[in-house]
Amino acid sequence: NAVAIDRKGRIVVAGQHESSFTLVRLKPNGGFDRSFFGRGVFESTDDHLGNNATDLTIDRQGRIVATGGRSGYGMSVIRILP
């Protein structure tokens, strides 16, 4: 699991929720950032991504790059545009 803060002070958390590769973005005040996938949560049940987001970074342009996977199946990398 991982946490990063973007230039606007928004908090991005990577992890797992109900066996899904999951990213959550919060506003600086801790509330869900509903501009991020409509509810503040990116959650994938795509087996190709695996079931756990394990690390992330946010580049200078605000793009989120996250890694993860599933034990024994390799690694996944995704990039989410701002």
Side-chain angles (χ1 to χ4, degrees):
N1 299 3
V3 176
I5 299 174
D6 71 11
R7 290 181 174 211
K8 295 180 180 179
R10 296 175 299 196
I11 304 156
V12 181
V13 180
Q16 177 181 11
H17 178 256
E18 296 181 358
S19 297
S20 296
F21 187 105
T22 304
L23 301 173
V24 175
R25 190 166 74 185
L26 305 170
K27 296 178 185 177
N29 68 5
F32 285 99
D33 180 357
R34 301 212 183 273
S35 69
F36 186 70
F37 291 92
R39 58 188 185 113
V41 178
F42 168 81
E43 192 171 23
S44 175
T45 56
D46 184 342
D47 285 340
H48 294 99
L49 279 179
N51 62 356
N52 193 17
T54 56
D55 203 2
L56 69 97
T57 191
I58 301 170
D59 71 13
R60 291 182 185 188
Q61 296 176 340
R63 296 176 297 202
I64 299 167
V65 179
T67 63
R70 180 182 307 240
S71 179
Y73 289 92
M75 184 180 87
S76 299
V77 178
I78 64 165
R79 183 175 70 178
I80 297 174
L81 304 177

XYZ file of all heavy atoms in Angstrom:
623
model
N 0.839 -1.178 0.000
C 0.000 0.000 0.000
C 0.883 1.240 0.000
O 2.020 1.194 0.441
C -0.918 0.000 1.196
C -1.848 -1.194 1.201
O -1.784 -2.064 0.342
N -2.721 -1.250 2.171
N 0.327 2.354 -0.496
C 1.125 3.571 -0.613
C 0.216 4.792 -0.521
O -0.987 4.709 -0.754
C 1.876 3.573 -1.927
N 0.853 5.937 -0.209
C 0.153 7.215 -0.127
C 1.026 8.274 -0.801
O 2.244 8.265 -0.634
C -0.106 7.621 1.344
C -0.748 8.993 1.423
C -0.963 6.596 2.046
N 0.396 9.179 -1.558
C 1.102 10.310 -2.155
C 0.187 11.523 -2.097
O -1.040 11.392 -2.052
C 1.485 10.002 -3.594
N 0.798 12.703 -2.110
C 0.040 13.960 -2.083
C 0.419 14.758 -3.320
O 1.605 14.957 -3.600
C 0.338 14.750 -0.800
C -0.078 13.915 0.417
C -0.396 16.092 -0.812
C 0.287 14.515 1.747
N -0.603 15.209 -4.076
C -0.320 15.961 -5.297
C -0.111 17.441 -4.990
O -0.207 17.879 -3.841
C -1.397 15.718 -6.360
C -2.746 16.352 -6.072
O -2.869 17.180 -5.143
O -3.707 16.021 -6.792
N 0.176 18.222 -6.026
C 0.478 19.657 -5.870
C -0.692 20.459 -5.323
O -0.505 21.540 -4.789
C 0.919 20.246 -7.197
C 2.263 19.761 -7.644
C 2.646 20.400 -8.951
N 4.002 20.040 -9.292
C 4.814 20.810 -9.966
N 4.409 21.976 -10.410
N 6.041 20.405 -10.233
N -1.903 19.948 -5.474
C -3.092 20.633 -4.958
C -3.441 20.194 -3.544
O -4.463 20.592 -3.003
C -4.285 20.391 -5.888
C -4.098 20.990 -7.263
C -5.309 20.725 -8.144
C -5.118 21.320 -9.523
N -6.273 21.050 -10.391
N -2.606 19.341 -2.958
C -2.843 18.869 -1.597
C -3.778 17.681 -1.494
O -4.135 17.260 -0.392
N -4.187 17.128 -2.644
C -5.077 15.959 -2.623
C -4.263 14.718 -2.271
O -3.110 14.585 -2.671
C -5.769 15.784 -3.972
C -6.681 16.959 -4.303
C -7.269 16.841 -5.667
N -6.204 16.832 -6.675
C -6.405 17.051 -7.969
N -7.630 17.269 -8.428
N -5.400 17.036 -8.818
N -4.871 13.824 -1.535
C -4.213 12.629 -1.028
C -4.657 11.438 -1.870
O -5.861 11.215 -2.049
C -4.596 12.402 0.450
C -4.260 13.635 1.276
C -3.922 11.155 1.005
C -5.066 13.766 2.543
N -3.691 10.679 -2.379
C -4.004 9.484 -3.164
C -3.490 8.276 -2.386
O -2.342 8.245 -1.946
C -3.370 9.538 -4.560
C -3.736 8.289 -5.360
C -3.811 10.791 -5.310
N -4.364 7.304 -2.208
C -4.037 6.094 -1.457
C -4.181 4.899 -2.390
O -5.178 4.779 -3.111
C -4.989 5.928 -0.246
C -4.660 4.671 0.529
C -4.944 7.156 0.646
N -3.187 4.019 -2.378
C -3.219 2.801 -3.196
C -3.352 1.596 -2.274
O -2.744 1.560 -1.208
C -1.928 2.678 -4.011
N -4.139 0.621 -2.700
C -4.285 -0.587 -1.888
C -5.221 -1.580 -2.523
O -5.329 -1.675 -3.745
N -5.917 -2.309 -1.682
C -6.820 -3.365 -2.112
C -8.145 -3.197 -1.383
O -8.181 -2.901 -0.194
C -6.214 -4.723 -1.764
C -7.078 -5.902 -2.079
C -6.428 -7.220 -1.681
O -5.420 -7.252 -0.998
N -7.020 -8.307 -2.102
N -9.236 -3.395 -2.120
C -10.568 -3.402 -1.521
C -11.347 -4.540 -2.150
O -11.533 -4.566 -3.374
C -11.272 -2.064 -1.765
C -12.651 -2.040 -1.218
N -13.760 -2.150 -2.017
C -13.109 -1.939 0.049
C -14.844 -2.103 -1.267
N -14.479 -1.978 -0.017
N -11.780 -5.471 -1.337
C -12.554 -6.622 -1.813
C -11.904 -7.269 -3.039
O -12.536 -7.446 -4.067
C -13.993 -6.217 -2.092
C -14.730 -5.773 -0.850
C -16.175 -5.392 -1.100
O -16.620 -5.432 -2.267
O -16.846 -5.051 -0.126
N -10.622 -7.565 -2.942
C -9.851 -8.223 -4.008
C -9.748 -7.399 -5.283
O -9.639 -7.950 -6.378
C -10.422 -9.609 -4.324
O -10.314 -10.438 -3.194
N -9.792 -6.079 -5.178
C -9.673 -5.201 -6.335
C -8.481 -4.266 -6.184
O -8.216 -3.754 -5.098
C -10.927 -4.341 -6.499
O -12.040 -5.139 -6.778
N -7.788 -4.034 -7.277
C -6.743 -3.022 -7.387
C -7.441 -1.679 -7.193
O -8.315 -1.315 -7.978
C -6.142 -3.140 -8.792
C -4.943 -2.294 -9.076
C -3.688 -2.873 -9.128
C -5.066 -0.946 -9.345
C -2.570 -2.115 -9.439
C -3.959 -0.182 -9.650
C -2.707 -0.763 -9.694
N -7.094 -0.943 -6.152
C -7.881 0.231 -5.776
C -7.013 1.447 -5.507
O -5.984 1.358 -4.841
C -8.712 -0.074 -4.507
O -9.517 -1.230 -4.760
C -9.602 1.079 -4.129
N -7.461 2.601 -6.032
C -6.877 3.899 -5.714
C -7.996 4.790 -5.213
O -9.097 4.793 -5.763
C -6.245 4.543 -6.950
C -5.127 3.767 -7.638
C -4.732 4.470 -8.933
C -3.928 3.642 -6.719
N -7.729 5.555 -4.175
C -8.697 6.491 -3.613
C -8.043 7.860 -3.605
O -6.877 7.999 -3.232
C -9.088 6.090 -2.170
C -10.007 7.128 -1.545
C -9.742 4.719 -2.158
N -8.791 8.894 -4.032
C -8.265 10.255 -3.942
C -9.160 11.072 -3.021
O -10.374 11.100 -3.180
C -8.157 10.928 -5.311
C -7.375 12.249 -5.216
C -6.953 12.762 -6.559
N -8.088 13.315 -7.286
C -7.998 13.750 -8.535
N -6.856 13.676 -9.196
N -9.064 14.237 -9.130
N -8.519 11.711 -2.055
C -9.210 12.524 -1.066
C -8.856 13.986 -1.245
O -7.739 14.322 -1.659
C -8.804 12.078 0.343
C -8.995 10.595 0.669
C -8.329 10.257 1.997
C -10.462 10.228 0.684
N -9.776 14.853 -0.887
C -9.508 16.293 -0.867
C -8.577 16.589 0.304
O -8.454 15.775 1.235
C -10.812 17.061 -0.689
C -11.782 16.893 -1.835
C -13.053 17.656 -1.522
C -14.112 17.428 -2.563
N -15.362 18.119 -2.218
N -7.950 17.764 0.316
C -7.080 18.107 1.445
C -7.776 18.035 2.810
O -7.138 17.765 3.818
C -6.632 19.535 1.131
C -6.684 19.611 -0.367
C -7.884 18.773 -0.735
N -9.108 18.204 2.829
C -9.850 18.140 4.097
C -10.223 16.711 4.492
O -10.876 16.490 5.506
C -11.097 19.021 4.042
C -12.161 18.512 3.083
O -12.042 17.436 2.498
N -13.208 19.301 2.902
N -9.841 15.715 3.658
C -10.112 14.315 3.977
C -11.351 13.736 3.333
O -11.576 12.539 3.396
N -12.185 14.569 2.697
C -13.380 14.069 2.020
C -13.026 13.453 0.669
O -11.998 13.770 0.080
N -13.875 12.556 0.186
C -13.648 11.947 -1.119
C -13.647 13.010 -2.208
O -14.500 13.896 -2.222
C -14.731 10.903 -1.438
C -14.569 9.629 -0.673
C -15.317 9.387 0.467
C -13.655 8.679 -1.082
C -15.165 8.212 1.182
C -13.488 7.494 -0.379
C -14.248 7.265 0.761
N -12.709 12.935 -3.143
C -12.634 13.835 -4.286
C -13.486 13.241 -5.398
O -13.045 12.380 -6.151
C -11.187 13.999 -4.734
C -11.041 14.915 -5.925
O -12.067 15.400 -6.458
O -9.892 15.155 -6.335
N -14.721 13.689 -5.497
C -15.683 13.092 -6.426
C -15.374 13.416 -7.888
O -15.994 12.859 -8.786
C -17.088 13.516 -6.050
C -17.407 13.065 -4.615
C -18.848 12.728 -4.405
N -19.097 12.377 -3.015
C -18.955 11.169 -2.515
N -18.537 10.186 -3.282
N -19.212 10.919 -1.245
N -14.378 14.264 -8.147
C -13.958 14.499 -9.528
C -13.062 13.358 -10.027
O -12.732 13.291 -11.205
C -13.215 15.832 -9.653
O -11.960 15.787 -9.007
N -12.697 12.451 -9.146
C -11.854 11.300 -9.462
C -12.753 10.080 -9.646
O -13.255 9.503 -8.681
C -10.853 11.085 -8.319
C -9.809 10.031 -8.553
C -8.795 10.225 -9.468
C -9.838 8.852 -7.830
C -7.814 9.259 -9.663
C -8.862 7.875 -8.009
C -7.851 8.083 -8.937
N -13.045 9.752 -10.879
C -13.900 8.614 -11.238
C -15.297 8.697 -10.621
O -15.906 7.684 -10.302
C -13.231 7.279 -10.905
C -12.050 6.979 -11.777
C -10.771 7.351 -11.379
C -12.222 6.363 -12.999
C -9.683 7.109 -12.200
C -11.138 6.114 -13.831
C -9.867 6.494 -13.430
N -15.798 9.907 -10.431
C -17.178 10.122 -10.010
C -17.490 9.907 -8.545
O -18.509 10.345 -8.051
N -16.607 9.230 -7.815
C -16.882 8.998 -6.392
C -15.621 9.024 -5.530
O -15.663 8.699 -4.353
C -17.645 7.692 -6.187
C -16.945 6.460 -6.712
C -17.846 5.223 -6.638
N -17.081 4.054 -7.036
C -16.766 3.061 -6.220
N -17.153 3.090 -4.968
N -16.072 2.041 -6.662
N -14.497 9.370 -6.164
C -13.249 9.431 -5.417
C -12.491 8.119 -5.378
O -11.473 8.006 -4.711
N -12.974 7.121 -6.124
C -12.383 5.778 -6.061
C -12.213 5.201 -7.463
O -13.134 5.240 -8.274
C -13.274 4.820 -5.231
C -12.703 3.420 -5.199
C -13.482 5.356 -3.827
N -11.021 4.669 -7.742
C -10.785 3.837 -8.928
C -10.632 2.424 -8.404
O -9.766 2.139 -7.588
C -9.504 4.253 -9.656
C -9.086 3.251 -10.698
C -9.674 3.252 -11.951
C -8.112 2.305 -10.421
C -9.293 2.323 -12.917
C -7.726 1.368 -11.375
C -8.312 1.391 -12.619
N -11.495 1.551 -8.878
C -11.481 0.168 -8.406
C -11.625 -0.742 -9.614
O -12.586 -0.641 -10.365
C -12.633 -0.046 -7.437
C -12.583 -1.308 -6.663
C -13.636 -1.334 -5.564
O -14.645 -0.623 -5.664
O -13.435 -2.069 -4.614
N -10.644 -1.608 -9.830
C -10.672 -2.486 -10.991
C -10.791 -3.934 -10.560
O -10.077 -4.394 -9.678
C -9.400 -2.324 -11.818
O -9.395 -3.249 -12.877
N -11.678 -4.632 -11.218
C -11.783 -6.073 -11.006
C -11.147 -6.824 -12.172
O -11.276 -8.033 -12.267
C -13.256 -6.504 -10.845
O -13.977 -6.073 -11.999
C -13.860 -5.904 -9.593
N -10.440 -6.082 -13.034
C -9.749 -6.678 -14.180
C -8.610 -7.562 -13.669
O -7.676 -7.083 -13.034
C -9.203 -5.574 -15.070
C -8.555 -6.096 -16.333
O -8.204 -7.290 -16.402
O -8.395 -5.292 -17.259
N -8.683 -8.831 -13.925
C -7.655 -9.760 -13.455
C -6.265 -9.422 -13.972
O -5.270 -9.776 -13.356
C -8.006 -11.191 -13.848
C -9.109 -11.777 -12.987
O -9.335 -11.254 -11.871
O -9.741 -12.742 -13.426
N -6.190 -8.708 -15.098
C -4.889 -8.354 -15.650
C -4.148 -7.357 -14.760
O -2.921 -7.311 -14.764
C -5.043 -7.798 -17.064
C -5.533 -8.818 -18.030
N -6.851 -8.891 -18.404
C -4.901 -9.819 -18.663
C -7.008 -9.888 -19.244
N -5.841 -10.477 -19.422
N -4.862 -6.545 -14.005
C -4.217 -5.611 -13.082
C -3.825 -6.275 -11.771
O -3.016 -5.762 -11.028
C -5.151 -4.427 -12.763
C -5.208 -3.311 -13.774
C -6.182 -2.234 -13.314
C -3.842 -2.721 -14.038
N -4.420 -7.382 -11.475
C -4.181 -8.029 -10.188
C -5.162 -7.519 -9.161
O -6.129 -6.828 -9.474
N -4.895 -7.817 -7.906
C -5.869 -7.472 -6.877
C -5.328 -6.524 -5.816
O -5.950 -6.325 -4.788
C -6.405 -8.739 -6.208
C -5.312 -9.525 -5.498
O -4.141 -9.184 -5.559
N -5.705 -10.583 -4.828
N -4.154 -5.915 -6.070
C -3.594 -5.045 -5.038
C -2.708 -3.986 -5.672
O -1.782 -4.302 -6.404
C -2.786 -5.873 -4.040
C -2.436 -5.122 -2.786
O -3.023 -4.089 -2.490
N -1.480 -5.618 -2.048
N -2.994 -2.722 -5.383
C -2.113 -1.620 -5.770
C -1.099 -1.461 -4.641
O -1.477 -1.277 -3.485
C -2.909 -0.344 -5.970
N 0.176 -1.560 -4.967
C 1.194 -1.602 -3.916
C 2.063 -0.359 -3.822
O 2.682 -0.125 -2.796
C 2.110 -2.818 -4.111
O 2.667 -2.765 -5.426
C 1.334 -4.108 -3.924
N 2.121 0.438 -4.891
C 2.952 1.641 -4.852
C 2.401 2.642 -5.846
O 1.698 2.277 -6.788
C 4.403 1.294 -5.197
C 5.396 2.327 -4.655
O 4.968 3.299 -3.986
O 6.598 2.165 -4.911
N 2.711 3.921 -5.641
C 2.262 4.944 -6.573
C 3.160 6.156 -6.480
O 3.864 6.360 -5.482
C 0.807 5.332 -6.324
C 0.466 6.095 -5.053
C 0.384 7.580 -5.327
C -0.868 5.622 -4.523
N 3.103 6.952 -7.530
C 3.750 8.251 -7.549
C 2.881 9.176 -8.370
O 2.033 8.724 -9.149
C 5.189 8.172 -8.118
O 5.844 9.411 -7.878
C 5.187 7.853 -9.591
N 3.071 10.471 -8.202
C 2.345 11.471 -8.979
C 3.404 12.333 -9.659
O 4.259 12.915 -8.987
C 1.431 12.324 -8.086
C 0.429 11.423 -7.356
C 0.715 13.384 -8.924
C -0.364 12.115 -6.280
N 3.364 12.392 -10.996
C 4.386 13.153 -11.710
C 4.065 14.652 -11.721
O 3.035 15.077 -11.192
C 4.622 12.579 -13.107
C 3.492 12.826 -14.086
O 2.591 13.649 -13.825
O 3.501 12.181 -15.150
N 4.940 15.441 -12.318
C 4.785 16.907 -12.327
C 3.530 17.376 -13.036
O 3.053 18.471 -12.790
C 5.996 17.551 -12.986
C 7.246 17.425 -12.181
C 8.367 18.130 -12.869
N 9.618 17.915 -12.160
C 10.726 18.522 -12.452
N 10.760 19.389 -13.439
N 11.817 18.277 -11.758
N 3.010 16.553 -13.938
C 1.796 16.918 -14.667
C 0.526 16.425 -13.973
O -0.562 16.559 -14.506
C 1.872 16.375 -16.092
C 2.998 17.009 -16.887
C 3.130 16.415 -18.269
O 2.661 15.306 -18.534
N 3.776 17.143 -19.157
N 0.675 15.836 -12.806
C -0.479 15.374 -12.040
C -0.957 13.980 -12.385
O -1.988 13.532 -11.889
N -0.221 13.281 -13.253
C -0.608 11.920 -13.615
C -0.211 10.960 -12.497
O 0.879 11.039 -11.952
C 0.068 11.506 -14.918
C -0.380 12.347 -16.094
C 0.370 11.999 -17.343
N 1.789 12.302 -17.158
C 2.641 12.511 -18.150
N 2.238 12.434 -19.398
N 3.905 12.778 -17.909
N -1.121 10.062 -12.184
C -0.884 9.053 -11.157
C -0.356 7.800 -11.842
O -0.965 7.301 -12.790
C -2.179 8.731 -10.399
C -2.712 9.981 -9.694
C -1.967 7.589 -9.409
C -4.125 9.847 -9.189
N 0.767 7.305 -11.368
C 1.326 6.056 -11.868
C 1.326 5.082 -10.693
O 1.893 5.379 -9.636
C 2.756 6.237 -12.414
C 3.304 4.900 -12.902
C 2.772 7.269 -13.527
N 0.634 3.969 -10.864
C 0.515 2.991 -9.781
C 0.972 1.622 -10.251
O 0.808 1.266 -11.418
C -0.932 2.913 -9.287
N 1.546 0.878 -9.322
C 1.969 -0.489 -9.605
C 1.272 -1.438 -8.642
O 0.788 -1.033 -7.588
C 3.487 -0.666 -9.458
O 3.852 -0.415 -8.099
C 4.242 0.257 -10.370
N 1.256 -2.680 -9.023
C 0.653 -3.691 -8.157
C 0.638 -5.015 -8.872
O 1.438 -5.260 -9.764
N -0.281 -5.839 -8.500
C -0.399 -7.138 -9.147
C -1.037 -8.157 -8.227
O -1.740 -7.831 -7.278
N -0.731 -9.392 -8.533
C -1.246 -10.517 -7.761
C -0.091 -11.479 -7.548
O 0.660 -11.764 -8.474
C -2.358 -11.212 -8.545
C -2.970 -12.388 -7.829
C -4.032 -13.039 -8.702
N -4.988 -12.059 -9.146
C -6.282 -12.107 -8.889
N -6.781 -13.119 -8.228
N -7.088 -11.179 -9.316
N 0.047 -11.947 -6.355
C 1.151 -12.833 -6.015
C 1.243 -14.001 -6.996
O 0.255 -14.690 -7.258
C 0.971 -13.357 -4.589
O 2.014 -14.223 -4.243
N 2.421 -14.179 -7.573
C 2.638 -15.276 -8.495
C 2.246 -14.994 -9.937
O 2.438 -15.825 -10.807
N 1.685 -13.803 -10.227
C 1.225 -13.498 -11.579
C 1.947 -12.316 -12.215
O 1.575 -11.874 -13.283
C -0.283 -13.191 -11.594
C -1.116 -14.416 -11.350
C -1.520 -14.756 -10.064
C -1.505 -15.227 -12.403
C -2.291 -15.872 -9.841
C -2.265 -16.352 -12.190
C -2.663 -16.671 -10.896
O -3.421 -17.778 -10.689
N 2.951 -11.768 -11.575
C 3.685 -10.655 -12.161
C 3.196 -9.316 -11.673
O 2.422 -9.208 -10.729
N 3.655 -8.276 -12.347
C 3.407 -6.901 -11.924
C 2.588 -6.152 -12.950
O 2.703 -6.393 -14.150
C 4.759 -6.199 -11.738
C 4.646 -4.809 -11.209
S 6.268 -4.053 -11.012
C 6.507 -3.369 -12.629
N 1.788 -5.193 -12.488
C 1.003 -4.326 -13.358
C 1.419 -2.885 -13.113
O 1.788 -2.510 -11.995
C -0.485 -4.441 -13.035
O -0.943 -5.740 -13.220
N 1.328 -2.066 -14.156
C 1.582 -0.637 -14.058
C 0.463 0.074 -14.796
O 0.133 -0.292 -15.918
C 2.936 -0.247 -14.685
C 3.144 1.256 -14.607
C 4.088 -0.987 -14.020
N -0.137 1.082 -14.148
C -1.168 1.878 -14.806
C -0.824 3.349 -14.633
O -0.138 3.736 -13.678
C -2.588 1.610 -14.280
C -2.733 2.017 -12.812
C -2.993 0.176 -14.501
C -4.170 2.103 -12.370
N -1.307 4.169 -15.563
C -1.167 5.619 -15.451
C -2.543 6.232 -15.606
O -3.281 5.907 -16.553
C -0.233 6.174 -16.511
C -0.022 7.682 -16.346
C 0.996 8.204 -17.311
N 0.430 8.170 -18.663
C 1.069 8.602 -19.727
N 2.296 9.047 -19.631
N 0.493 8.548 -20.915
N -2.905 7.108 -14.698
C -4.196 7.771 -14.724
C -3.958 9.250 -14.973
O -3.191 9.893 -14.248
C -4.957 7.540 -13.397
C -5.239 6.045 -13.233
C -6.254 8.349 -13.387
C -5.846 5.682 -11.903
N -4.587 9.779 -15.996
C -4.411 11.182 -16.353
C -5.231 12.063 -15.415
O -6.284 11.649 -14.925
C -4.841 11.396 -17.799
C -4.134 10.504 -18.818
C -4.700 10.750 -20.215
C -2.642 10.721 -18.798
N -4.749 13.293 -15.190
C -5.496 14.178 -14.264
C -6.840 14.592 -14.828
O -7.087 14.526 -15.990
C -4.579 15.377 -14.098
C -3.636 15.344 -15.230
C -3.560 13.921 -15.707
